[in-house]
Amino acid sequence: MSNNHSPWFSGPPDARARMRLLCFPYAAGTASLFYSWQAHFPADIQICPVELPARAGRINDPMPASVAGLVDQFLEEAPPYFDRPFSLFGHSLGALIAFELARVMKDRRMPSPVRLFASACQAPQVFRSERPIHHLPDPEFIEALREIDGTPDEVLAHQELLGVLLPMLRADFRLADTYKYIPGGQLTCAITAVGGSEDESISRGDLVAWHSQTTGPFNLWMVRGTHFFLRFQGSKLAKMIATLLSEQQSAQMKARI
């Protein structure tokens, strides 16, 4: 691994960027979810899709057993991406990972994100995994995924693909099943919670509860769709984020003048 590249990203950090947006996918998701986002952002905001272990080009990299372990490993291998202002986006499990990353960086007196976008995820203090499923036998595990709408239908319907992905799916859901929120100091960055209007698993109150995790600004966006609205509303969401971050950048530049 070179000094400026990391297995978590498809390429090195762009030295021309004034800001970066690191994007964490949902359980079973890959970095490819965010490859199209750069087209919706100005050139000086670099989209950095995060590739978690045990999938795609990292299929042989083991997934750590906990969110905390994952964050520790990530911070060992991704520091070059934090050399200028950055924000974090995470969807579902990805939002928990992004949140814990922000907390650990604050505790270690590392740079803090400008903003955390928590998408399709209950606030960590109210997060609940209905029942552990990662240890179930294959048929029961697959049925549980179908019941909780935890995996895209096209994956569950593809038997050959599902066989390859089961170890990754189990590893991802182990992170969610074993997640324990530990109360601590609040973040100072802005938080934007994003929810799907038809997501039956997460209430508006679950999303609003994110406001207590920061001393900074908080706002809530609702977009049309179920829990996986990211797959259908990704372009719209990317444009909303691009507008917000660009406005924030402009305000900060004016404040320096």
Side-chain angles (χ1 to χ4, degrees):
M1 184 174 62
S2 67
N3 291 332
N4 67 345
H5 188 38
S6 158
W8 300 81
F9 301 96
S10 61
D14 186 346
R16 299 167 296 178
R18 293 188 179 186
M19 177 183 285
R20 299 194 176 99
L21 177 65
L22 279 62
C23 301
F24 293 84
Y26 48 71
T30 66
S32 63
L33 284 164
F34 306 105
Y35 286 169
S36 65
W37 278 30
Q38 188 66 65
H40 302 296
F41 282 77
D44 61 352
I45 299 180
Q46 182 187 10
I47 303 304
C48 301
V50 176
E51 195 73 271
L52 300 178
R55 72 209 66 215
R58 305 190 64 193
I59 194 72
N60 295 318
D61 293 349
M63 173 66 84
S66 67
V67 171
L70 181 69
V71 166
D72 283 343
Q73 185 177 330
F74 180 77
L75 284 175
E76 287 178 9
E77 300 174 338
Y81 292 79
F82 303 123
D83 63 346
R84 61 205 62 202
F86 67 94
S87 292
L88 304 173
F89 174 92
H91 189 90
S92 196
L93 174 63
L96 286 181
I97 296 170
F99 167 71
E100 290 296 342
L101 172 62
R103 286 221 296 179
V104 170
M105 294 184 76
K106 180 175 180 289
D107 290 345
R108 295 182 185 178
R109 302 185 186 281
M110 297 175 68
S112 292
V114 173
R115 185 177 291 266
L116 168 64
F117 294 92
S119 178
C121 186
Q122 299 143 338
Q125 73 274 20
V126 297
F127 179 82
R128 55 197 173 274
S129 182
E130 296 297 333
R131 61 189 175 94
I133 66 170
H134 69 279
H135 62 286
L136 294 174
D138 285 357
E140 288 92 337
F141 179 61
I142 294 168
E143 184 57 32
L145 292 176
R146 185 173 285 110
E147 288 176 2
I148 64 176
D149 194 22
T151 305
D153 289 339
E154 58 264 32
V155 173
L156 296 177
H158 196 305
Q159 291 300 314
E160 185 176 346
L161 176 62
L162 190 57
V164 174
L165 294 181
L166 273 178
M168 176 194 72
L169 286 163
R170 288 187 184 280
D172 284 10
F173 277 89
R174 178 176 61 183
L175 295 185
D177 288 347
T178 61
Y179 177 76
K180 296 289 189 295
Y181 170 70
I182 300 174
Q186 294 172 292
L187 299 176
T188 57
C189 66
I191 293 181
T192 296
V194 189
S197 61
E198 300 160 46
D199 187 348
E200 297 179 357
S201 63
I202 298 174
S203 71
R204 189 181 183 92
D206 290 336
L207 297 166
V208 172
W210 277 98
H211 86 277
S212 66
Q213 290 296 336
T214 185
T215 59
F218 169 81
N219 64 319
L220 171 65
W221 292 343
M222 298 299 296
V223 298
R224 186 177 179 181
T226 59
H227 189 70
F228 287 109
F229 62 81
L230 178 66
R231 291 185 289 139
F232 306 104
Q233 298 276 32
S235 294
K236 178 179 179 180
L237 185 56
K239 292 173 184 176
M240 292 168 68
I241 294 173
T243 298
L244 181 59
L245 292 182
S246 295
E247 290 175 350
Q248 195 165 328
Q249 265 192 316
S250 297
Q252 289 172 345
M253 292 176 67
K254 288 179 182 177
R256 296 191 194 105
I257 297 175

